[in-house]
């Protein structure tokens, strides 16, 4: 694994897992609970896009290898597809191909940040101390 060099690498990896957990929980919980918590009433597809963009862009911050980034992009695409499938089993949510499309677009655009200077922002902020 070719994780970028950080002072706190485990923290950033755990935050990725926390983001995955949040996406799974929010995607599978009944929509009424989301409204009760004050979830915004904006476009559902935008929410899907932003969640997967954030996850994929976060991975772009963590990994400096093109191979590792490709694997993370594939993982994010599979996660989005799997969650859409699981939603059809809940009884309170339903699978929607447009949601899967929004998930995939978010993953692709977030993954593309790996090719920009933005990909090293977290590493520049959390530099390991060389003593």
């Amino acid at each position: 694994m070719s994780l970028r060099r950080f002072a706190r690498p485990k923290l950033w990896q755990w935050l990725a897992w926390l983001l995955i957990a949040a996406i799974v929980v929010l995607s599978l919980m009944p929509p009424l609970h989301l409204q009760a918590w004050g979830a915004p009433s904006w476009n559902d597809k935008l929410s899907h896009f932003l969640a997967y963009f954030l996850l994929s862009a976060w991975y772009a911050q963590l990994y400096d290898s093109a191979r590792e980034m490709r694997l993370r992009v594939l993982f994010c695409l599979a996660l989005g597809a799997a969650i859409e499938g699981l939603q059809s089993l809940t009884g309170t949510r339903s699978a929607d191909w447009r949601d899967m499309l929004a998930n995939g677009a978010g993953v692709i655009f977030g993954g593309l940040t790996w090719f920009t200077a933005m990909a090293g922002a977290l590493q520049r902020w959390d530099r390991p101390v060389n003593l």
Side-chain angles (χ1 to χ4, degrees):
M1 182 166 36
S2 60
L3 192 66
R4 296 180 195 269
R5 291 193 48 187
F6 295 106
R8 294 172 288 271
K10 294 291 183 201
L11 171 65
W12 309 127
Q13 288 176 306
W14 275 104
L15 283 175
W17 284 108
L18 185 62
L19 182 55
I20 292 167
I23 289 171
V24 170
V25 168
L26 291 172
S27 296
L28 296 178
M29 72 185 322
L32 294 176
H33 288 118
L34 294 174
Q35 293 167 356
W37 287 0
S41 60
W42 56 10
N43 188 324
D44 175 55
K45 305 310 174 242
L46 180 59
S47 300
H48 282 265
F49 177 87
L50 291 174
Y52 285 88
F53 175 88
L54 181 61
L55 179 59
S56 187
W58 187 253
Y59 280 132
Q61 294 290 315
L62 297 183
Y63 296 97
D64 63 358
S65 157
R67 180 182 180 281
E68 289 291 334
M69 193 58 207
R70 277 193 304 274
L71 290 173
R72 296 314 182 275
V73 165
L74 290 173
F75 166 76
C76 291
L77 291 170
L79 177 67
I83 287 176
E84 287 304 313
L86 289 172
Q87 282 181 337
S88 67
L89 303 175
T90 65
T92 59
R93 304 294 293 251
S94 60
D96 182 349
W97 67 270
R98 294 168 298 183
D99 288 348
M100 200 175 332
L101 189 62
N103 296 347
V107 169
I108 298 303
F109 280 97
L112 287 174
T113 66
W114 187 82
F115 295 101
T116 70
M118 188 172 97
L122 181 61
Q123 186 181 31
R124 287 187 294 274
W125 182 76
D126 186 39
R127 290 187 184 134
V129 177
N130 295 326
L131 298 176

